[in-house]
Amino acid sequence: VWAFRNMRMKLYYANRLLEGREAVADQLPEKDEMFMTRGKMLQEIMVSLGGRIAEELILDDITTGASQDIKQATQMAKDMVTKYGMSSEIGLLSYDNDDQEVFIGRDFAHAKGYGENMATKIDLEVKRIVDDCYAQASDIIRQNMDVLHRSAQLLLEKEKISGEEFAALFEAPQTTSEA
């Protein structure tokens, strides 16, 4: 997903973990950026969901391996809605309450500056953003299954590949299935 969304980050390396069943990739920004655009945040969410999507497509099952990625994607979508005013549905108000804890128990006595109706709208908008990103990322992966298989095969052979080796996988000819 990362490679097809023209991210402004360079892949540093990809590494195989857990006997070839999971992979991790380290990315470095091409340039120092102070602010993130809405489009960049949506791309980040899509990238975060890529591992789970690949599990579903390849393993026909899911694991706990993507839990941190899901948490990260959800938090980014929530920040878009509650901190940055990046939702036309919710609008240009800040609903971020991180600094308004009333008690030692984090969520136990958490003060909210909005009612349950708005909380429901926020939850629905966060879910919509994540679901839309999931659908787009899934389409990208489905359309490029050959690259997914080639990268998995290379990681099984080498355990760790460079950004250049990864980029070369996209230059290889696509395989076509004949009936």
Side-chain angles (χ1 to χ4, degrees), residues 85-104:
M86 293 181 174
S87 164
S88 58
E89 179 68 27
I90 301 302
L92 294 173
L93 296 175
S94 175
Y95 293 101
D96 180 34
N97 292 325
D98 284 345
D99 59 348
Q100 296 180 8
E101 292 183 18
V102 179
F103 209 55
I104 294 173

Side-chain angles (χ1 to χ4, degrees), residues 6-128:
N6 287 326
M7 303 276 293
R8 283 171 284 180
M9 298 184 96
K10 182 177 182 178
L11 184 72
Y12 183 62
Y13 74 88
N15 194 16
R16 173 176 51 93
L17 301 174
L18 298 176
E19 298 177 17
R21 300 209 68 174
E22 290 185 36
V24 64
D26 280 348
Q27 303 168 23
L28 297 174
E30 286 286 314
K31 61 182 181 177
D32 192 16
E33 293 179 350
M34 213 171 180
F35 302 103
M36 288 184 71
T37 65
R38 182 177 187 278
K40 172 82 166 131
M41 293 178 87
L42 292 171
Q43 288 177 349
E44 290 283 334
I45 294 169
M46 283 186 260
V47 170
S48 293
L49 299 172
R52 169 53 63 90
I53 295 166
E55 282 181 346
E56 292 172 355
L57 294 174
I58 302 301
L59 303 177
D60 197 27
D61 200 358
I62 56 175
T63 71
T64 58
S67 63
Q68 186 60 36
D69 294 333
I70 293 168
K71 183 177 181 179
Q72 184 178 339
T74 303
Q75 186 61 53
M76 187 162 291
K78 185 175 183 182
D79 288 349
M80 290 174 69
V81 173
T82 62
K83 285 184 182 181
Y84 307 126
M86 293 181 174
S87 164
S88 58
E89 179 68 27
I90 301 302
L92 294 173
L93 296 175
S94 175
Y95 293 101
D96 180 34
N97 292 325
D98 284 345
D99 59 348
Q100 296 180 8
E101 292 183 18
V102 179
F103 209 55
I104 294 173
R106 184 178 147 122
D107 289 328
F108 176 68
H110 198 76
K112 287 193 296 191
Y114 50 90
E116 288 303 313
N117 186 34
M118 182 53 71
T120 298
K121 286 182 180 180
I122 289 169
D123 289 345
L124 290 172
E125 183 66 356
V126 169
K127 182 170 178 13
R128 184 197 63 77

